[in-house]
């Protein structure tokens, strides 16, 4: 049997109804791959898949559900063949200072961002290993390196996701699988409205937002190049990663960064430029 061409792989993307996930699915299809789009929003993910044509299919998936994960992999195989690449992208956020969020909100962030991602990896590992090939790509966040006010639990899950991802990659280093983790910056997604409405989230607007399409290109490029870890954009990402190792520096810089974010946020509100997917949002 001939080896499947590297530009014709079966890709499963979570959180694919909108934002980075949808852009990643579209870019992957344009590169010749076949994609199962999954999302908790059943209507939206089916709509997106129909728009992308016959190399796309949809499956409603709550990433917290282990049985749902198994069904998603089975659906991908029935539609296109066994999954070659898992792109763990789905996530949620509740912004606000820690004391102001309910325990339910803290728990939801952990259950989706951390446990949901872990469940996907644990589903993929035995299936891909049995086939002798596979690539797990985790979409994380620059907040995995930084402690940011208003994002304590969100950032905590991203720190944990990064640690989990790299530990699993080390455990599986003698096996047939590849592992990549990607850290986008603030991105123009639908999470914007939630952050824009919360003054404690002003820091999200301190930097220029990436487009979902720009992030998607980095993700789909990684399918071919298989890097271990990617910060994006490269220079700013490296600076932030380094700064994150120096808590005293972060405490000194944070007031300056927050002030810039507040000014930018106020400008967006005043000019009415803050429609969905037009300015900075988080990275899912």
């Amino acid at each position: 049997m001939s080896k499947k061409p590297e530009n014709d792989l079966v890709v499963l993307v979570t959180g694919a109804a909108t934002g980075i996930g949808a852009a990643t699915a579209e870019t992957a299809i344009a590169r010749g791959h076949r994609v199962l789009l999954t999302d908790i929003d059943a209507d939206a993910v089916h709509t997106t898949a129909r728009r992308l044509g016959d190399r796309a299919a949809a499956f409603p998936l709550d990433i917290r559900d282990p049985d749902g994960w198994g069904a998603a992999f089975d659906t991908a195989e029935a539609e296109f063949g066994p999954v070659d690449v898992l792109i763990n992208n789905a996530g949620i956020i509740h912004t606000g200072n820690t004391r102001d969020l309910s325990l339910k909100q803290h728990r939801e962030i952990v259950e989706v961002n951390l446990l949901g991602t872990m469940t996907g990896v644990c589903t993929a590992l035995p299936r891909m290993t049995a086939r002798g090939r596979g690539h797990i790509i985790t979409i994380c966040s620059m907040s995995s390196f930084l402690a940011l006010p208003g994002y304590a639990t969100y950032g905590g899950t991203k720190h944990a996701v990064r640690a989990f991802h790299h530990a699993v990659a080390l455990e599986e280093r003698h096996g047939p699988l590849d592992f990549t983790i990607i850290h986008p910056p603030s991105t123009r997604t639908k999470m914007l409205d939630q952050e824009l409405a919360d003054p404690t989230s002003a820091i999200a607007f301190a930097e220029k937002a990436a487009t979902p399409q720009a992030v998607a290109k980095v993700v789909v490029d990684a399918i071919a190049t298989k890097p271990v870890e990617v910060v994006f954009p490269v220079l700013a990402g490296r600076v932030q990663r380094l700064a994150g190792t120096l808590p005293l520096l972060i405490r000194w810089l944070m007031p300056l960064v927050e002030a810039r974010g507040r000014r930018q946020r106020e400008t967006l509100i005043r000019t009415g430029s803050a429609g969905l997917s037009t300015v900075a949002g988080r990275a899912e």
Side-chain angles (χ1 to χ4, degrees):
M1 182 180 295
S2 61
K3 184 180 178 182
K4 184 185 296 187
E6 288 298 319
N7 65 339
D8 182 16
L9 301 177
V10 178
V11 182
L12 191 160
V13 185
T14 66
T18 60
I20 291 174
T24 296
E26 184 170 9
T27 303
I29 289 167
R31 301 274 185 94
H33 303 303
R34 291 163 291 165
V35 182
L36 181 71
L37 293 81
T38 72
D39 200 283
I40 197 169
D41 187 333
D43 291 340
V45 76
H46 280 290
T47 297
T48 301
R50 285 193 295 269
R51 175 175 63 82
L52 296 180
D54 60 7
R55 296 184 73 81
F59 183 82
L61 173 64
D62 181 341
I63 64 170
R64 296 169 293 187
D65 177 15
D67 293 335
W69 269 107
F73 271 77
D74 291 342
T75 298
E77 185 163 359
E79 290 281 347
F80 301 126
V83 174
D84 297 297
V85 183
L86 167 62
I87 300 178
N88 258 321
N89 167 73
I92 66 167
I93 191 169
H94 296 297
T95 59
N97 290 331
T98 301
R99 68 173 67 194
D100 298 325
L101 297 181
S102 68
L103 286 175
K104 180 176 182 292
Q105 289 174 309
H106 289 296
R107 184 178 294 276
E108 284 176 347
I109 297 170
V110 173
E111 288 178 347
V112 175
N113 294 359
L114 178 56
L115 297 180
T117 297
M118 291 171 65
T119 304
V121 171
C122 290
T123 303
L125 284 174
R127 290 172 180 254
M128 290 180 169
T129 301
R131 292 182 61 225
R133 60 179 293 173
H135 188 183
I136 295 175
I137 299 178
T138 300
I139 311 302
C140 197
S141 171
M142 286 307 301
S143 63
S144 68
F145 303 110
L146 298 165
L148 302 176
Y151 296 86
T153 301
Y154 176 86
T157 62
K158 296 304 183 178
H159 278 71
V161 164
R162 181 174 184 266
F164 172 77
H165 174 95
H166 283 308
V168 173
L170 284 169
E171 291 170 356
E172 301 294 328
R173 64 190 180 277
H174 300 305
L177 307 188
D178 295 295
F179 294 84
T180 297
I181 189 165
I182 298 173
H183 304 282
S186 291
T187 305
R188 299 174 187 175
T189 71
K190 286 187 175 182
M191 287 186 181
L192 165 67
D193 273 0
Q194 183 177 345
E195 294 180 286
L196 192 70
D198 183 357
T200 64
S201 303
I203 195 170
F205 302 92
E207 61 182 334
K208 183 178 180 181
T211 65
Q213 291 74 24
V215 177
K217 180 182 182 303
V218 173
V219 175
V220 178
D221 285 349
I223 293 175
T225 60
K226 300 179 174 62
V228 171
E229 185 162 47
V230 179
V231 293
F232 174 73
V234 175
L235 180 58
R238 288 175 177 171
V239 171
Q240 291 180 45
R241 180 169 58 182
L242 177 61
T245 67
L246 303 169
L248 287 176
L249 177 62
I250 291 294
R251 293 189 185 192
W252 180 78
L253 288 174
M254 193 56 61
L256 304 176
V257 177
E258 286 184 309
R260 174 181 168 83
R262 283 193 295 271
R263 289 194 300 270
Q264 306 249 95
R265 173 179 174 272
E266 289 165 3
T267 298
L268 292 170
I269 294 172
R270 186 173 62 254
T271 59
S273 302
L276 289 179
S277 304
T278 59
V279 293
R282 292 318 307 163
E284 284 81 19

